[in-house]
Amino acid sequence: MRQLVTVVMPVYNGEAFIAEAIESVIAQTYPHWELIVVDDGSTDSTSSIVAAFNDRRIRYTYQENQGLAAARNTGIRIAQGDYLAFLDTDDKWTPRFLEQSLIALSTNQSLAAVYAQTYLIDESGAVLPRVFGRIVSPERLRNELLKGGIFPPLVVLVRADVVKEVGLVDTTLAGMGMEDWDLWLRISERYVMQGIPLPLAYYRVHPDGMSTNAASMHACRISALTKHFGPPTGDPATWPEEKRRTYGFAY
């Protein structure tokens, strides 16, 4: 029986790169997917670019601007797939991303999600001389996650029912940029995630990327840690070991 993958693509004024991102989904060797483009209040030509793709697997929905986390949740709520993948409009996949990820998940039913490595590309799409993303054993993954995000959301394929069980993307965290990390922490508390030691995506590094806003990402990270481990108050010597380590890495 075929298994449907829902690709959630949030976008806000993404006319510069969204066509490349959508083309990389269409080019997947695994054909059983739906792409949900969640337009989070764009004022540019995003909607017309999406409309130009004549593919019934692509669904477009518009909402007033609510932010990246809320846009991802909109896509998750209307998803029909057995699996969820997240692709931002300035990134793209290699053709075998879905195929390779599904092979890894289907051969081990105990896995909740898999993640891969990614190439880095510049604003023009040129591949930079570095592969990003550390692959660690499932037993070590949570400890590595506590140090910070070790993979971006575009390289993750996760079972949809797992996301619905642990809760959607948290829209209440301060700052921006670490909401996906919070989700992986919640999943890793209960389930097993496994790495694929292959670069299966292209992560774009450019001046307007969210990862360039270090202050906002740090605020989001501290907010997530407060949620998971409590606020950084009192004598750290009395904190549980996991809390001490993860706050230490954050600072």
Side-chain angles (χ1 to χ4, degrees), residues 144-219:
E144 291 299 309
L145 280 173
L146 291 174
K147 299 177 183 179
I150 67 171
F151 46 81
L154 79 154
V155 297
V156 175
L157 185 69
V158 59
R159 298 185 193 276
D161 56 355
V162 168
V163 174
K164 291 169 184 174
E165 180 181 331
V166 303
L168 305 189
V169 183
D170 193 337
T171 60
T172 68
L173 300 178
M176 293 180 65
M178 299 293 284
E179 296 91 346
D180 54 295
W181 177 60
D182 166 68
L183 179 58
W184 312 146
L185 283 177
R186 283 185 276 135
I187 291 174
S188 69
E189 282 183 309
R190 307 185 197 179
Y191 295 101
V192 178
M193 302 174 69
Q194 181 170 291
I196 302 171
L198 293 170
L200 297 174
Y202 298 94
Y203 181 82
R204 196 181 305 265
V205 181
H206 61 96
D208 296 326
M210 187 178 297
S211 60
T212 63
N213 192 334
S216 182
M217 292 189 71
H218 182 69

Side-chain angles (χ1 to χ4, degrees), residues 15 26 39 42 51 60 74 77 103 112 116 123 150 153 162 175 183 194 207 211 215 222 233 241 245:
E15 63 183 7
I26 294 173
D39 189 337
S42 296
Y60 171 88
T74 295
R77 289 188 184 100
I103 288 172
E123 196 166 5
I150 67 171
V162 168
L183 179 58
Q194 181 170 291
S211 60
I222 296 302
T233 55
E241 188 267 344
R245 276 195 302 120

